[in-house]
Amino acid sequence: MSRIKGKNTKPEITLRKKLHALGYRFSLHSKKLPGKPDIVLRKYNTVIFVNGCFWHGHKDCKYFKLPKSNVKFWSDKISANIERDKIKFQQLIDLGWHVITIWECELKTSNVDKNISKLIDQLKQNKYICR
């Protein structure tokens, strides 16, 4: 587990490259915000978390399957991650941020461009809501 990266993961870099190519500018891993969001778009008052399907318990996803060994440990660990995510998301919402979660599987499939388009639509909507 020591080799598991928490920052600059492949799905995160994929999303950042696509956003940057579309002209969006952002900051990364802001320590001032709860949960240290992966991408912070201040202009849109939006934060984006790029969640790994396994580590954050993505339901009905082919990448999320509990290991057969040490089931209690993994179940407790993933449940704690899900609860922590809920708390951090609520803290961000209370601070006036829009929170978007992008799952690892959404950036791996052939529908990447469709998923990015949905994200862009949501960003544009957030821009008009907060102005």
Side-chain angles (χ1 to χ4, degrees), residues 49-124:
F49 288 92
V50 181
N51 284 351
C53 295
F54 174 75
W55 296 104
H56 295 270
H58 190 200
K59 297 219 187 269
D60 301 324
C61 177
K62 68 179 182 179
Y63 298 108
F64 174 63
K65 185 183 263 186
L66 277 177
K68 294 186 190 300
S69 63
N70 211 358
V71 176
K72 175 143 176 48
F73 169 79
W74 286 110
S75 179
D76 291 347
K77 179 162 187 58
I78 292 168
S79 295
N81 287 348
I82 292 168
E83 285 304 311
R84 186 182 61 244
D85 288 345
K86 287 178 186 176
I87 292 167
K88 298 302 179 188
F89 290 3
Q90 190 57 53
Q91 289 173 343
L92 286 162
I93 290 167
D94 292 345
L95 290 171
W97 289 90
H98 300 282
V99 180
I100 297 174
T101 300
I102 299 289
W103 292 96
E104 169 187 17
C105 62
E106 294 175 331
L107 297 171
K108 283 186 175 183
T109 64
S110 59
N111 296 332
V112 172
D113 292 330
K114 182 177 138 187
N115 292 329
I116 298 290
S117 292
K118 281 196 270 183
L119 171 68
I120 299 304
D121 290 342
Q122 198 169 357
L123 286 175
K124 288 177 182 174

Side-chain angles (χ1 to χ4, degrees), residues 15-78:
L15 178 61
R16 290 183 348 209
K17 283 182 179 180
K18 295 240 182 225
L19 286 174
H20 197 272
L22 292 169
Y24 290 89
R25 300 301 176 252
F26 46 83
S27 59
L28 303 173
H29 312 291
S30 176
K31 293 178 183 177
K32 295 178 182 178
L33 294 173
K36 297 181 195 166
D38 297 316
I39 298 172
V40 180
L41 295 130
R42 294 189 193 287
K43 180 177 180 179
Y44 299 90
N45 207 37
T46 301
V47 295
I48 301 173
F49 288 92
V50 181
N51 284 351
C53 295
F54 174 75
W55 296 104
H56 295 270
H58 190 200
K59 297 219 187 269
D60 301 324
C61 177
K62 68 179 182 179
Y63 298 108
F64 174 63
K65 185 183 263 186
L66 277 177
K68 294 186 190 300
S69 63
N70 211 358
V71 176
K72 175 143 176 48
F73 169 79
W74 286 110
S75 179
D76 291 347
K77 179 162 187 58
I78 292 168

